[in-house]
Amino acid sequence: MSQSTILAHGLGAEYLPLPYTYALIGGAWALTASFAIVAFAWKTPRLDPRTSGIGLPAAVTRLVDSRGVRAVVAGAALLFTVWVALAAVAGSDDPEINPLPGVFYVLLWVGLVVLSVLIGPVWRVISPVRTVARLLSTLPIGATARRAYPESWGHRPAAVGLAAFVWLELASPDPDSLIGIRIWLVVYVVAMAVGGLLTGTRWFARADPFETYGVVASRIAPFWRDESGRVVVGNPLAHLSTLPERPGMLAVMSVLLGSTAFDSFSSFPLWQRTIDDLGEGTAIASVVSTVTLAGFIAVVAVTFWAATRATGGVTPHQRRRLPVQMTHTLIPIVVGYILAHYLNYIVERSQLVFASLADPLERGWNVLWLGDIHPEYVLSSHPTVSSTLKLVFVVGGHIAAVVAAHDASLRLLPRRHRLTGQLALMLTMVGYTFLGLYLLFGG
């Protein structure tokens, strides 16, 4: 990845508001103390999305569901996509000038999380592939007979798509290659189009990596819908348990968390020297990066799977289901780590991306006056504030995960094992916290 991309990732431990070792130990103790508090003070399940939300006025739901509003939003997103596609095809061949890498890695990958956390699962509305599919469905060509989506697939296709994305960004020989990004997007569009044609809109809901990514992030948003479809606002932790319990969801979470951890690890001097010795951009360096990336993802999957099953008093069938039923407790960790890791990306690099969209063909244009944007490097100018926010995101996300895991254990585990059945998962989350902070600041 280019130097400008690397610099957007974060800051070292010297900018922390307290000594680095204290941050590591303090984060682990914060989780332990949180577990002790909820274990003795939280005796019954409280995070029920059916009773935790406060209904908003009916006008809000009507506005959100309005066909006109959704058509305008989807149309604007489609026009934006066409503009970026024009820049990608006819713009400069220099990835530092062409806006495609910035849109792909910053606005899409990081911006989608921010929007989903603040508003909800927006990708199902702004997805350009979904929009085109809806337009085609009104034509005779769109009336093709469809097959049922295999329920056993769950979100596994989405996990594969997310793995392909993080491989391109973190382990491919040249992540900023315009050709590589174009090929990835073409394959994505073809896969979505063919799957949607064969199995209908359920393909997008299950197999689209960005839609699944957005759904995961949206489950910590303060807005959701009650059983009647009305928009409600409430405790985001109560929203977590609405994550669909489908095959492949743990794989999705493992890809998101494991890849972000590997991205932090890739900034360590030891790793950079290893890649330099192998030859940065060579096939062997890419293979080593791919294997290491897969290792990080596998560690998350195996440790969480084992920790959630390490309880007594349940039948074999219940034990098999526990990893799926507890997967939602990983969401605060995933979102917290992503926001911490890519904070500078979305705040600072996004300004450069929008500015580059003013004149992608280098014709002297200034579309929507985007060229007048003068980037403000507010976080880079205040590194202590930036590091403090990242520390809060990571530790806060883990504390929220501990609370969610405790509440879920009260619902799922037998009375005699509600406390002891959480210990393995608690220790695993402490390990995630310690390792996450070490990777984020230790490089």
Side-chain angles (χ1 to χ4, degrees), residues 187-203:
V187 172
Y188 164 75
V189 171
V190 170
M192 292 300 103
V194 172
L197 185 64
L198 293 177
T199 63
T201 57
R202 181 160 293 186
W203 172 262

Side-chain angles (χ1 to χ4, degrees), residues 35 42-45 307-308 311 314 322 325-326 328-329 401-423 425-426 429:
F35 175 72
W42 197 308
K43 298 296 186 180
T44 58
T308 52
T311 182
V314 294
L322 281 174
Q325 294 174 319
M326 298 287 284
H328 68 276
T329 64
V402 166
V403 174
H406 175 72
D407 192 83
S409 297
L410 295 178
R411 288 187 290 104
L412 300 172
L413 301 183
R415 182 175 297 274
R416 292 179 56 190
H417 298 273
R418 286 178 176 175
L419 185 59
T420 58
Q422 302 178 55
L423 293 179
L425 184 56
M426 170 60 195
M429 288 185 174

Side-chain angles (χ1 to χ4, degrees), residues 40-70:
F40 291 101
W42 197 308
K43 298 296 186 180
T44 58
R46 301 179 184 180
L47 301 178
D48 188 345
R50 296 170 298 181
T51 59
S52 298
I54 300 174
L56 296 178
V60 175
T61 301
R62 288 197 297 268
L63 179 66
V64 171
D65 293 338
S66 168
R67 289 187 177 182
V69 171
R70 289 177 172 249

